[in-house]
Amino acid sequence: MIGKTMVCMMAGAMFSMFGCSAEDRAPAAKVTAEPGRILIAYYSYSGNTRFAAEQIQKATGGELFEIKPVTPYPADYDACVSQAKKEIGAGFKPALAEKIKDPARYDVIFVGTPNWWSTMAPPVLTFLTENDLAGKTVIPFVTHGGGGMARCETDMRKAVPKAEFGKGGAFSGGSIRRSGDAITGWVNETVTVRK
């Protein structure tokens, strides 16, 4: 009995370390796009993801689009954390204040989110599921307090299974204001901007 238990435990550990996930799929090769065909869509609670999005915009010349829920999250951090946990657990998709006017005109869409409970913020899930991104290149970027990308990219891939994915980037929120060069370097690895 102990032997079978040990084998099962070892197999479980191997799957958790080496098992397949959506992120195991190779990202799309570096893409080329004109600035007018690049969208940088992001949700930002504290301003960290906004800062990253602005750096991407400077590097690409793409268009910024802030994903905003109709009802903002509470300004109180603990209340926001509690609400986000409940919404993520329920798969809740909050209504958004604005929609992008013509998603068809973009070829490359950077999608930014804070890492909330190891996944994307609920407004980002709404954005992904309300827009037809089939055949487009989605490039995730995440700001975090130590959790890195976690399941953000995996869950984005599930939300838009017919999109291609470029190499995602994860940036520490605590040092984001000093990360401009790192963000620009990552952007240059993922996209060539045709001027």
Side-chain angles (χ1 to χ4, degrees):
M1 182 71 169
I2 292 175
K4 284 184 181 180
T5 303
M6 281 297 272
V7 168
C8 289
M9 287 174 47
M10 289 174 54
M14 294 294 284
F15 281 118
S16 68
M17 289 187 329
F18 303 110
C20 295
S21 73
E23 287 152 342
D24 290 338
R25 291 184 282 177
K30 186 175 180 179
V31 294
T32 300
E34 297 172 7
R37 307 287 288 174
I38 298 171
L39 179 69
I40 304 111
Y42 69 94
Y43 170 74
S44 189
Y45 174 74
S46 66
N48 292 336
T49 311
R50 178 181 297 112
F51 179 86
E54 289 168 349
Q55 297 304 304
I56 296 166
Q57 197 277 330
K58 286 179 187 174
T60 64
E63 182 179 336
L64 282 173
F65 176 79
E66 185 172 4
I67 300 167
K68 292 189 242 182
V70 169
T71 305
Y73 285 89
D76 178 77
Y77 178 77
D78 291 335
C80 178
V81 167
S82 176
Q83 180 177 331
K85 183 177 185 181
K86 288 176 190 166
E87 290 182 358
I88 289 166
F92 179 70
K93 298 177 203 165
L96 300 183
E98 294 180 52
K99 299 183 184 299
I100 52 174
K101 291 178 179 53
D102 183 14
R105 69 181 262 222
Y106 302 105
D107 297 325
V108 175
I109 303 176
F110 287 87
V111 179
T113 183
N115 173 338
W116 280 5
W117 295 100
S118 297
T119 190
M120 68 189 117
V124 177
L125 179 59
T126 303
F127 172 82
L128 291 172
T129 56
E130 284 187 350
N131 291 287
D132 181 7
L133 304 182
K136 300 186 181 303
T137 300
V138 173
I139 304 175
F141 66 100
V142 173
T143 56
H144 62 89
M149 186 68 74
R151 292 190 327 269
C152 294
E153 182 176 338
T154 300
D155 292 344
M156 285 185 191
R157 286 177 181 267
K158 288 177 186 172
V160 286
K162 294 183 178 175
E164 296 294 322
F165 272 74
K167 179 183 175 185
F171 306 96
S172 170
S175 60
I176 196 73
R177 302 289 189 268
R178 300 183 304 277
S179 299
D181 290 344
I183 294 169
T184 301
W186 162 73
V187 167
N188 291 337
E189 291 175 9
T190 63
V191 65
T192 299
V193 179
R194 192 184 314 126
K195 305 270 180 174

